[in-house]
Amino acid sequence: SDAHIKVGEVGYRLQDLAKLADQDWERIALENGVGAVLIPATTEVAPVYIHMTIPTDIVRKGAQNRDYIYLLETLAAFVPLFLWGAALRGPFIHFVDNTASQGALTKGDSRSDAGNCLVGAYWRHAMTLRSVPWFTRVRSELNPADNINKGYFSRATARGWRKMTMDAGAFCAA
């Protein structure tokens, strides 16, 4: 899983996003994404991937939190468990390229209330599924979901991976 956020061609710092007026939010080209890839243990089934764009109202609320990228990365970690839980029963490896997200998911705890909410939901769902994730750190460029979260699907398509779609608003509401 992986996530990113970019605000058009303007170099906004994340903390500055919270200060934007309503009309500014309407004019900026907000680009963000959450991506996940499921690579089965068998070669008989093709990997599947998903890309979701987080709704602007959620980004706007999140921009008020200095840990926003960490929260987005942790939300991205929840995507495969939520969507492909049946395939993730028992032990599996989860590649993460954000050390704060990896640390919080590994220890089951975060220093922020929002992070604790996400991490707690992750582990409650994992327990329900009887999943046993092993979080391992990988550099962004080696993360299978790195291009997916940015909306670049050419490598996945060339490799025969199947694309899945889902409304991010519905996912975030769940």
Side-chain angles (χ1 to χ4, degrees):
S1 60
D2 203 9
H4 88 286
I5 183 169
K6 179 181 173 188
V7 184
E9 300 302 318
V10 180
Y12 289 104
R13 292 179 308 165
L14 197 55
Q15 59 266 33
D16 294 336
L17 289 178
K19 301 172 190 169
L20 293 176
D22 289 339
Q23 64 271 19
D24 292 328
W25 276 99
E26 292 171 10
R27 73 172 172 74
I28 61 174
L30 182 66
E31 175 189 317
N32 74 79
V34 170
V37 178
L38 175 67
I39 302 175
T42 174
T43 57
E44 296 172 13
V45 179
V48 61
Y49 67 94
I50 188 164
H51 171 270
M52 295 187 299
T53 299
I54 304 301
T56 301
D57 62 326
I58 293 173
V59 174
R60 188 174 183 177
K61 288 177 191 170
Q64 298 169 10
N65 188 321
R66 67 182 182 93
D67 294 332
Y68 181 64
I69 293 299
Y70 147 71
L71 294 172
L72 195 58
E73 292 275 357
T74 305
L75 176 67
F78 201 101
V79 171
L81 194 66
F82 183 80
L83 295 178
W84 305 311
L88 297 175
R89 293 185 198 281
F92 67 94
I93 299 172
H94 191 129
F95 295 112
V96 183
D97 62 15
N98 180 280
T99 54
S101 181
Q102 177 195 15
L105 288 164
T106 300
K107 68 181 182 175
D109 175 0
S110 170
R111 62 186 165 132
S112 74
D113 290 342
N116 276 329
C117 181
L118 284 172
V119 170
Y122 180 94
W123 281 107
R124 279 190 300 280
H125 197 61
M127 286 174 28
T128 301
L129 296 169
R130 296 192 172 130
S131 295
V132 184
W134 177 267
F135 299 99
T136 190
R137 167 86 171 90
V138 352
R139 291 191 333 253
S140 289
E141 62 271 12
L142 298 177
N143 188 337
D146 189 57
N147 283 327
I148 303 300
N149 80 62
K150 295 173 183 150
Y152 307 140
F153 310 127
S154 58
R155 282 188 187 162
T157 302
R159 292 178 177 154
W161 295 3
R162 296 174 294 132
K163 184 176 182 181
M164 183 178 179
T165 58
M166 182 177 183
D167 174 24
F171 174 79
C172 291

